[in-house]
């Protein structure tokens, strides 16, 4: 959050906007657009994705759709953006260079923990017609293996007991309840996280919460009549911004910008067109509106994210910090994952060129300017593996196949969480909401058979059908043994065969 080392002042804000060259300035007048969307989880991804589509949609089609961005866990983004009137720079980078533009779609900022009542008021306000979410997989407090709300989670239980909003689902339910009380009218809840069937999953979690809540009389029927939960597939690789990025961008911009985000040129958004109270003209900004997001979602989660996670664990084990450095040694195994394991499980949208999509993914991973850290992707593996790799494995096992590359991704995760050090002995930090439960089960064990047995018994992660597949269990043990004995690079080479 440092002010950029070269400390160029003044800071980006509405007052300093006029110093910017016209082609860098927001495409809408930020002062002129009222808030219509409340967004929970205003991290770098939202600022590089939905906020940009929204600004372009307003520029093309009008509408009162500016964003009130809510920071969920830490006040950092509010501290970065509030002094800048919500303005920030979007830097698109690849080997050919960097293109900057300032985004003005975020008009208000709130930190959920300090300002929870104002957030609820915003969700309830009739002018708000959409509540959008990027709170990461773990933010939903659900079991990724079953997609059910974790009623045993202490935070969920506490929210249920006192009607609080410590959890995202609690916060959404409270906001909807307030909206109903104050007659705010219909609203759309739009999930933009990497979950399969994300709209339906969030709807089910909200309904689960309401069904168990003593404070939600009549709310289920109101939600049924007034709220839509469309599904979406979101895609744009957006690493966390570093101090170096901020310093470079400030120097280029001539203004200090603590809220800048760095992303790739590629961007994609596929949205189920089912809204309760209107929407920005996102299709005019390049989004694909469709009746069924499922095939796109599955493709993206299994191809891109499945490959990302596999690469992240293999790279961590073999000491590659950056995705772009790890891609060369592991391209063959990722190709094998995508071609042999994932592709046969997909229902490719008509006219879609899967081979070109795969080639483009590998190019995107190789982008040398992004400096995407493999450790960032390795985070929260227990929440990511089910939809990224296990779903593919279940489908392939049902078809009688041996999904070796996808299983290597799982074995590499198992090695990562059990050894906690790389093949050369460097310590690896494990950051996962189930870290405590994992450590307790493993109790320091590192040999293949007990690690596989212990981890497969975690039914929050592995569904019983898969855990009960003895043939697959044997494959995993063999792969983990090879990782332990030979290391990640030789094992991946052999699997890619
Ligand atoms: C990544 C994703 O951090 C991760 O786990 O796989 O954030 C990925 O960069 C995005 O889904 C790309 O759209």
């Amino acid at each position: 959050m440092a002010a950029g080392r070269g400390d160029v002042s003044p800071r980006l804000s509405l007052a300093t906007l006029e110093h910017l060259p016209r082609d860098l300035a927001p495409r809408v007048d930020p002062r002129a657009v009222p808030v219509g969307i409340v967004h929970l989880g205003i991290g770098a991804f939202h600022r590089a994705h939905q906020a940009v589509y929204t600004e372009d949609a307003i520029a093309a089609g009008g509408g009162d759709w500016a964003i009130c961005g809510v920071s969920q866990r830490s006040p950092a983004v509010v501290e970065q953006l509030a002094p800048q009137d919500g303005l920030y720079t979007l830097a698109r980078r690849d080997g050919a260079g960097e293109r900057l533009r300032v985004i003005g779609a975020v008009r208000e900022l709130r930190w959920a923990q300090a300002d929870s009542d104002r957030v609820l008021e915003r969700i309830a306000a009739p002018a708000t017609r959409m509540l959008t979410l990027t709170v990461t997989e773990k933010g939903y407090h659900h079991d990724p293996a079953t997609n059910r709300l974790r009623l045993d989670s202490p935070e969920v239980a506490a929210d249920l007991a006192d009607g609080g909003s410590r959890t995202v689902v609690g916060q959404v339910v409270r906001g909807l309840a307030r909206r109903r009380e104050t007659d705010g009218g219909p609203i759309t809840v739009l999930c933009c996280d990497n979950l399969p069937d994300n709209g339906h999953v969030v709807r089910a979690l909200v309904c689960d919460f309401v069904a168990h809540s003593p404070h939600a009389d009549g709310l289920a029927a109101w939600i049924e009549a007034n709220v839509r939960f469309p599904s979406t597939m979101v895609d744009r690789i957006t690493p966390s911004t570093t101090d170096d990025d901020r310093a470079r961008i400030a120097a280029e911009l001539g203004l200090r910008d603590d809220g800048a985000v760095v992303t790739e040129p590629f961007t994609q958004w596929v949205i189920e067109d089912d809204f309760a109270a209107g929407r920005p003209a996102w299709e005019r900004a390049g989004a694909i509106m469709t009746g069924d997001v499922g095939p796109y979602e599955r493709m993206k989660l299994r191809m891109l994210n499945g490959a990302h996670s596999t690469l992240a664990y293999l790279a961590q084990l073999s000491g590659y910090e950056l995705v772009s450095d790890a891609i060369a040694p592991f391209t063959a195994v990722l190709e094998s994952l995508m071609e042999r394991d994932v592709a046969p499980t997909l229902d490719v949208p008509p006219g879609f060129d899967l081979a070109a999509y795969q080639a483009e993914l590998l190019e995107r991973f190789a982008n040398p300017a992004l400096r995407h850290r493999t450790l960032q992707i390795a985070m929260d593996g227990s929440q990511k593996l089910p939809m990224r790799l296990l779903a593919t494995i279940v489908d392939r096992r049902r078809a009688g196949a041996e999904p070796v590359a996808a299983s290597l991704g799982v074995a590499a995760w198992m090695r990562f969480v059990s050894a906690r050090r790389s093949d050369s002995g460097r310590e690896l930090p494990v950051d996962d909401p189930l870290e405590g439960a994992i450590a307790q089960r493993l109790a320091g064990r590192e040999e293949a058979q007990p690690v596989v047995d212990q981890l497969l018994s975690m039914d929050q992660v592995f569904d019983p059908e898969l855990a009960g597949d003895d043939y697959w269990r044997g494959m995993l043990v063999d792969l983990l043994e090879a990782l332990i004995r030979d290391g990640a690079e030789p094992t991946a080479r052999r699997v890619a065969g």
Side-chain angles (χ1 to χ4, degrees), residues 369-421:
L370 268 190
R371 303 189 62 75
H372 196 188
R373 289 164 61 243
T374 53
L375 194 59
Q376 186 181 345
I377 304 168
M379 208 172 98
D380 298 341
S382 69
Q383 312 297 295
K384 293 173 173 175
L385 251 46
M387 47 278 211
R388 295 178 175 208
L389 290 171
L390 303 181
T392 296
I393 294 170
V394 169
D395 284 354
R396 294 306 284 147
R397 291 298 299 138
R398 283 186 189 154
E402 290 186 24
V404 192
S407 306
L408 178 65
V410 178
W413 171 73
M414 290 183 164
R415 178 73 182 144
F416 177 80
V417 298
S418 58
R420 294 167 162 262
R421 57 173 197 284

Side-chain angles (χ1 to χ4, degrees), residues 126-146:
T128 302
R129 282 145 296 143
M130 207 178 301
L131 175 58
T132 59
L133 315 170
T134 48
V135 295
T136 78
E137 296 86 345
K138 68 176 168 230
Y140 293 94
H141 285 83
H142 75 310
D143 280 343
T146 59

Side-chain angles (χ1 to χ4, degrees), residues 279-301:
R279 61 169 175 80
W282 281 319
E283 72 282 9
R284 296 186 63 184
I288 301 172
M289 310 303 300
T290 172
D292 184 10
V293 178
Y296 291 96
E297 260 185 337
R298 240 181 333 272
M299 191 171 67
K300 191 263 174 171
L301 284 170

Side-chain angles (χ1 to χ4, degrees), residues 45 49 137 193-194 233-239 264 266 268 300-301 304-309 312 364-365 372-380 384 388:
F45 180 74
H49 191 265
E137 296 86 345
D193 279 298
N194 283 320
M233 178 271 251
V234 295
D235 190 6
R236 191 166 216 182
I237 297 174
T238 308
E264 61 174 342
F266 181 94
Q268 193 174 37
K300 191 263 174 171
L301 284 170
L304 187 156
N305 296 110
H308 241 180
S309 288
R364 291 169 62 196
F365 292 173
H372 196 188
R373 289 164 61 243
T374 53
L375 194 59
Q376 186 181 345
I377 304 168
M379 208 172 98
D380 298 341
K384 293 173 173 175
R388 295 178 175 208

Side-chain angles (χ1 to χ4, degrees), residues 148-149 151 156-157 159-161 163 169-170 172-174 176-177 180 202-224 229:
R148 300 302 303 267
L149 189 63
L151 294 167
V156 173
D159 276 356
L160 280 170
V169 175
V172 170
V173 169
R174 227 175 136 197
L176 295 178
R180 171 177 171 237
V202 171
R203 182 179 194 285
L205 297 175
V206 164
C207 292
D208 245 10
F209 188 98
V210 169
H212 288 89
S213 167
H215 313 277
D217 225 17
L219 186 58
W222 185 87
I223 291 176
E224 179 67 32
F229 296 85

